């Protein structure tokens, strides 16, 4: 259900690595209907490196993942952040269904679909693609970082 495709230049990618790609999916808080309607939400799905780890995990690309900095960047921008560090045994499709269920409840409680953005990096982006497939709602916003390659689409033919 991808509505638009965005191509990022090298400068933008460097900015994202410095300011944003440092890691979101957790508890949705109960709010009044008027608060839900006005609030903007971001569901952040981190890369595989954090699964079952701490939010400061180190990898080959980044000195450390800086998950909490990513979440705080979204909060500073005015988003209600929904995120958690996935357990190491989380499956791509199972976790995508969990997120889709959370989003569906949020929409049922009055949140406009257009106020919801799902951001996923690496394995989190693949999960976000499945969330898009399950939600089938063109008004929800999606950002897929570091997962849009032919191999992912070939090995996951049910992605839409």
């Amino acid at each position: 259900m991808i509505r638009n495709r965005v191509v990022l230049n090298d400068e933008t990618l460097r900015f994202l690595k410095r300011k944003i790609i440092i890691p979101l999916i957790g508890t949705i808080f109960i709010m009044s209907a008027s608060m839900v309607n006005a609030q903007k939400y971001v569901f952040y799905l981190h890369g595989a490196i954090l699964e079952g780890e701490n939010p400061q995990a180190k990898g080959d690309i980044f000195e450390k993942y800086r998950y909490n900095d990513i979440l705080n960047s979204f909060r500073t921008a005015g988003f209600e952040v929904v995120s958690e560090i996935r357990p190491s045994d989380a499956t791509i499709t199972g976790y995508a269904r969990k997120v889709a269920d959370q989003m569906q409840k949020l929409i049922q409680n009055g949140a406009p679909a257009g106020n919801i953005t799902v951001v996923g990096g690496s394995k989190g982006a693949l999960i976000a693609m499945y969330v898009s497939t399950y939600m089938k709602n063109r008004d929800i916003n999606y950002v897929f970082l570091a997962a849009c390659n032919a191999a992912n689409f070939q090995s996951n033919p049910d992605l839409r």
Side-chain angles (χ1 to χ4, degrees):
M1 303 299 297
I2 302 169
R3 183 174 43 196
N4 295 315
R5 185 175 131 179
V6 177
V7 178
L8 302 175
N9 62 32
D10 289 340
E11 183 179 344
T12 303
L13 289 173
R14 281 191 297 278
F15 171 81
L16 290 171
K17 283 181 182 177
R18 282 192 325 269
K19 300 291 184 184
I20 297 173
I21 305 177
I22 317 165
L24 299 159
I25 292 293
T27 305
I28 295 177
F29 299 98
I30 298 172
M31 303 174 132
S32 70
S34 62
M35 291 172 69
V36 170
N37 286 334
Q39 184 62 53
K40 303 254 184 199
Y41 299 88
V42 67
F43 284 74
Y44 180 77
L45 303 164
H46 60 76
I49 190 170
L50 287 189
E51 289 183 347
E53 292 288 330
N54 69 59
Q56 302 293 323
K58 294 184 179 188
D60 296 336
I61 298 175
F62 302 104
E63 180 182 320
K64 58 183 175 180
Y65 201 91
R66 298 177 59 196
Y67 173 77
N68 292 322
D69 291 342
I70 292 172
L71 302 185
N72 288 333
S73 293
F74 286 119
R75 288 183 186 113
T76 299
F79 289 94
E80 180 68 36
V81 176
V82 183
S83 186
E84 70 180 358
I85 296 178
R86 290 185 303 276
S88 56
D89 61 350
T91 65
I92 291 170
T93 56
Y95 203 81
R97 289 195 188 280
K98 174 184 176 177
V99 173
D101 288 346
Q102 289 176 316
M103 291 169 58
Q104 193 60 44
K105 288 177 187 167
L106 193 58
I107 292 168
Q108 288 170 350
N109 286 330
N115 285 9
I116 300 171
T117 300
V118 181
V119 178
S122 193
K123 183 177 180 180
L126 189 56
I127 293 169
M129 290 176 194
Y130 272 100
V131 171
S132 172
T133 298
Y134 299 150
M135 288 302 293
K136 297 180 174 102
N137 186 324
R138 293 181 180 269
D139 293 331
I140 297 170
N141 306 292
Y142 293 90
V143 179
F144 307 130
L145 303 168
C148 295
N149 59 60
N152 274 340
F153 292 108
Q154 290 169 353
S155 58
N156 297 282
D158 48 340
L159 282 176
R160 297 286 175 258

